[in-house]
Amino acid sequence: KKKLECFDTPTGWKYFGNLLDAGRISLCGEESFGTGSDHVREKDGIWAALAWLQILASKKTTVEALLKEHWKEFGRNFFTRYDYEGCESEPCETMMEDLQEFVDDVDSIGKEYTAGGKTFKVSACDNFSYKDPIDGSLASKQGIRIMFSDGSRLVFRLSGTGSSGATVRMYVDSYEKDESKIFASAQEMLAPCVKVGLEISKLPELTGRDEPTVIT
């Protein structure tokens, strides 16, 4: 709406650094809520707190009122992350291989899944790769992404497949512009999409876990 340039990068602040150095962005952040600007090449909690205080002082409002005003104008992005820690590596690797096959199968586009009274239609899927617009470097296999026609998205990433066990992360996010729904809890709004993610990935069956270790 504001026609601001925006970049979806892989995990790692080095990707922000190139964009910051080139003057392409002045604000960056990650899903774990680390935030920074172009004064430093790392997350800066003190700066983030001061930035929020400056915004609140300038607009003479509260955080809650500001968020509600923002959501009413632009809609709201709901987000959650399910972490499954200390899993056996082999079944987790099998899961990622199966998900890659899902991505590679052209018939996956258009598939429909229903959960919690909602139907999700696959509109796109890939194994995320990122070409740095500054130095041209390519980062591939950054996570399996499954996008749906309603704006919802699933991302699956696997890390730490050594002797200490693997960690599977399932990221779930969805966009909502209906004012009657934008103030609901994230877990409530995302529950149907979470069920679809577990169905597609077969994560509970393969890991033997009924619940994630951590929900963010």
Side-chain angles (χ1 to χ4, degrees), residues 41-194:
R41 299 301 175 260
E42 183 54 275
K43 65 191 78 173
D44 186 345
I46 295 176
W47 174 87
L50 291 173
W52 265 107
L53 289 171
Q54 178 60 42
I55 292 169
L56 298 179
S58 175
K59 296 183 72 68
K60 296 180 174 58
T61 187
T62 64
V63 172
E64 180 181 0
L66 184 64
L67 284 176
K68 288 182 175 179
E69 178 186 342
H70 180 87
W71 292 338
K72 284 181 179 179
E73 181 175 358
F74 297 100
R76 179 182 176 184
N77 286 92
F78 291 90
F79 171 81
T80 190
R81 189 182 86 192
Y82 279 36
D83 290 4
Y84 296 80
E85 301 174 351
C87 301
E88 290 185 26
S89 296
E90 187 174 346
C92 293
E93 290 170 350
T94 297
M95 183 195 74
M96 295 303 291
E97 291 168 2
D98 291 346
L99 285 169
Q100 184 63 58
E101 290 182 7
F102 182 93
V103 165
D104 295 337
D105 185 356
V106 294
D107 291 333
S108 294
I109 305 301
K111 282 187 175 180
E112 294 186 352
Y113 300 86
T114 300
K118 292 188 65 176
T119 298
F120 298 85
K121 184 176 182 179
V122 178
S123 59
C125 52
D126 62 13
N127 196 333
F128 180 49
S129 62
Y130 174 77
K131 185 175 182 180
D132 194 302
I134 309 305
D135 62 19
S137 61
L138 182 67
S140 59
K141 297 182 178 179
Q142 296 296 304
I144 298 291
R145 303 190 304 174
I146 302 172
M147 284 73 81
F148 301 99
S149 57
D150 70 341
S152 300
R153 179 178 68 166
L154 299 166
V155 180
F156 298 90
R157 301 187 74 235
L158 174 64
S159 61
T161 56
S163 58
S164 61
T167 295
V168 177
R169 291 187 173 92
M170 181 176 74
Y171 305 78
V172 186
D173 63 77
S174 183
Y175 173 74
E176 182 59 65
K177 60 182 178 181
D178 185 339
E179 285 193 22
S180 68
K181 299 178 180 178
I182 58 176
F183 301 127
S185 73
Q187 295 303 321
E188 175 188 347
M189 291 296 295
L190 294 172
C193 195
V194 167

Side-chain angles (χ1 to χ4, degrees), residues 3-9 19 24-25 27 130 133:
K3 302 188 184 303
L4 298 174
E5 195 170 26
C6 182
F7 298 88
D8 191 4
T9 72
L19 295 167
R24 297 286 291 274
I25 60 173
L27 179 68
Y130 174 77

Side-chain angles (χ1 to χ4, degrees), residues 21-51:
D21 289 342
R24 297 286 291 274
I25 60 173
S26 58
L27 179 68
C28 56
E30 54 190 355
E31 50 83 21
S32 58
F33 308 113
T35 310
S37 187
D38 54 7
H39 66 292
V40 67
R41 299 301 175 260
E42 183 54 275
K43 65 191 78 173
D44 186 345
I46 295 176
W47 174 87
L50 291 173

